[in-house]
Amino acid sequence: MAAAAVVAFAGLTSCSDWTSPESVDINSPSVSGQFPELYKQYLQALRDYKASDHKVVIGWFDNSASFAGGQSDRLTALPDSLDAVVLMYPELVDQWEADEMHQIQTQKGTKVLYEIDYASMLDDWEETSAGNDTDASGSNAPETGGNDGFLDYMDACLDRLLPLCAQNGYDGIAVWYDPVNPAHLDEDMKALETARQTAFEARLREWLDASPDMMFILEGNSMHLLADKSILDDADFLVVRTENEEHISAVMTAVRDLAQEGVPADRFIPVASTTSSSNSSAGYLMLPDGTSVPAISETAWWVKSQETDIVKAGLGIYQIQRDYYGNDMDYAMSRAAITILNPSFNN
């Protein structure tokens, strides 16, 4: 996109700065203060771009910091052209984070969602209930109807989490949910899993019906196992959790394998991990020739390529805040991925 406002704003910078994705810190008071009208036009162009048809880029953001120890903790430091950010810990949002959340929503048109993780919910319940209500063999004994107590725990968690969307001004939710395949389970475990998944999907269906204007992202690698396929139809995007894959071929396979009966194939988003100072292998993918390359850029190039039977709607970036510390600029890999996917927009 080449809105007149962006072109005018570009004239205030050097050519070398403008050709790098978002190389100008538009949050600087020297820009918004000295050129308020141009800055206003830039923000409008930014919002128009995000409302247009393009490949989206969504970041998963670790917001567990209780105070802003640096720019990597700040939502306002995220790339301007990031379409959406998913806060990984919705119950840890402090007032300063809420203020920044509302700032990027209103000024830059960035969608702010939060994560609901079914597996973590189940893990937390199993940890807190360990040793309680066990039978003679030492295993948790399901109650009549396939309920071992998790359903009450799940309901209590969702009663806290789901209302946060409307209460705190979020744009929607991102739900990580991988149903268990009951085909090889014994009858007791099959009843247990069926009851759990039926109850969880019913709560999602209830929220979707009550929140038609909210954004909904479904994450997982087993979406074809959902009993209620209408949940898939109502998802804005289907995010494939591929951030732990080690080979680009595995990323491709994970996405393509989801194109099964009942699963919409026109809204897939694979996830790539940022690099990590504590894990040298994180954020890299192996090519077929054995070359190791940054996962974000390689996945972006694959997302950009055309497929015959699936649509790759964009890219997810896991732990995006780790990308703040770039060698040349902040969020260098994320900005480059946005430019790869949407070269017509001057970031």
Side-chain angles (χ1 to χ4, degrees):
M1 187 181 84
V6 179
V7 174
F9 191 82
L12 302 174
T13 69
S14 70
C15 293
S16 60
D17 285 342
W18 190 248
T19 54
S20 296
E22 292 191 355
S23 57
V24 177
D25 181 4
I26 65 94
N27 294 307
S28 170
S30 63
V31 175
S32 60
Q34 293 182 38
F35 309 101
E37 185 57 35
L38 287 174
Y39 183 64
K40 180 180 177 181
Q41 292 176 24
Y42 169 76
L43 292 177
Q44 184 60 56
L46 194 63
R47 295 191 294 269
D48 291 343
Y49 157 72
K50 293 181 184 182
S52 69
D53 184 16
H54 65 285
K55 298 284 189 183
V56 302
V57 178
I58 302 170
W60 272 254
F61 188 91
D62 183 345
N63 64 297
S64 58
S66 58
F67 63 94
Q71 288 297 301
S72 63
D73 295 323
R74 310 202 76 104
L75 295 174
T76 50
L78 287 166
D80 292 348
S81 46
L82 187 73
D83 290 280
V85 59
V86 179
L87 303 188
M88 297 166 65
Y89 303 100
E91 294 184 285
L92 298 182
V93 174
D94 292 312
Q95 187 58 52
W96 65 272
E97 290 174 299
D99 292 342
E100 292 196 352
M101 178 182 89
H102 297 144
Q103 182 179 337
I104 64 174
Q105 286 173 311
T106 56
Q107 291 189 359
K108 302 176 184 178
T110 306
K111 302 290 187 184
V112 182
L113 299 87
Y114 62 93
E115 183 96 303
I116 296 177
D117 185 347
Y118 175 85
S120 292
M121 200 182 302
L122 182 57
D123 288 344
D124 290 345
W125 175 79
E126 289 177 342
E127 183 176 335
T128 57
S129 63
N132 298 327
D133 300 324
T134 55
D135 59 20
S137 67
S139 62
N140 289 100
E143 300 173 4
T144 303
N147 183 12
D148 58 353
F150 172 66
L151 298 187
D152 293 335
Y153 180 84
M154 180 196 74
D155 276 332
C157 289
L158 294 177
D159 285 344
R160 292 196 322 270
L161 293 172
L162 289 174
L164 294 177
C165 194
Q167 291 173 2
N168 296 347
Y170 287 97
D171 294 293
I173 61 175
V175 177
W176 189 353
Y177 173 54
D178 269 320
V180 174
N181 189 343
H184 304 293
L185 300 177
D186 61 37
E187 290 306 313
D188 286 343
M189 287 304 298
K190 185 180 294 185
L192 188 66
E193 287 298 336
T194 299
R196 288 174 174 176
Q197 293 170 192
T198 299
F200 185 73
E201 291 179 25
R203 291 298 302 269
L204 284 187
R205 182 70 267 162
E206 178 184 321
W207 183 86
L208 286 166
D209 290 342
S211 313
D213 298 326
M214 293 292 184
M215 190 174 184
F216 174 57
I217 295 175
L218 185 65
E219 313 169 33
N221 297 74
S222 305
M223 298 173 190
H224 61 288
L225 295 175
L226 264 73
D228 184 356
K229 294 293 195 299
S230 71
I231 292 173
L232 299 173
D233 293 330
D234 285 345
D236 293 280
F237 301 107
L238 300 178
V239 170
V240 192
R241 297 302 298 248
T242 53
E243 68 272 17
N244 293 322
E245 298 293 353
E246 297 179 354
H247 300 269
I248 185 61
S249 59
V251 174
M252 299 176 183
T253 299
V255 177
R256 290 167 179 161
D257 282 353
L258 277 182
Q260 301 188 33
E261 184 177 356
V263 179
D266 60 349
R267 62 199 74 173
F268 290 143
I269 293 182
V271 180
S273 175
T274 53
T275 56
S276 171
S277 59
S278 60
N279 183 355
S280 59
S281 63
Y284 291 93
L285 287 172
M286 194 76 71
L287 300 181
D289 65 0
T291 305
S292 181
V293 294
I296 292 175
S297 58
E298 187 62 28
T299 307
W301 282 115
W302 180 66
V303 168
K304 186 181 178 68
S305 67
Q306 296 294 318
E307 300 278 331
T308 58
D309 54 351
I310 63 172
V311 174
K312 294 163 287 186
L315 173 70
I317 301 176
Y318 186 65
Q319 295 275 11
I320 190 172
Q321 76 288 339
R322 295 194 309 218
D323 189 34
Y324 176 80
Y325 300 101
N327 292 329
D328 301 319
M329 68 178 76
D330 56 285
Y331 288 107
M333 289 189 291
S334 301
R335 297 178 194 276
I338 294 170
T339 301
I340 289 170
L341 294 173
N342 301 287
S344 62
F345 180 75
N346 290 319
N347 289 289

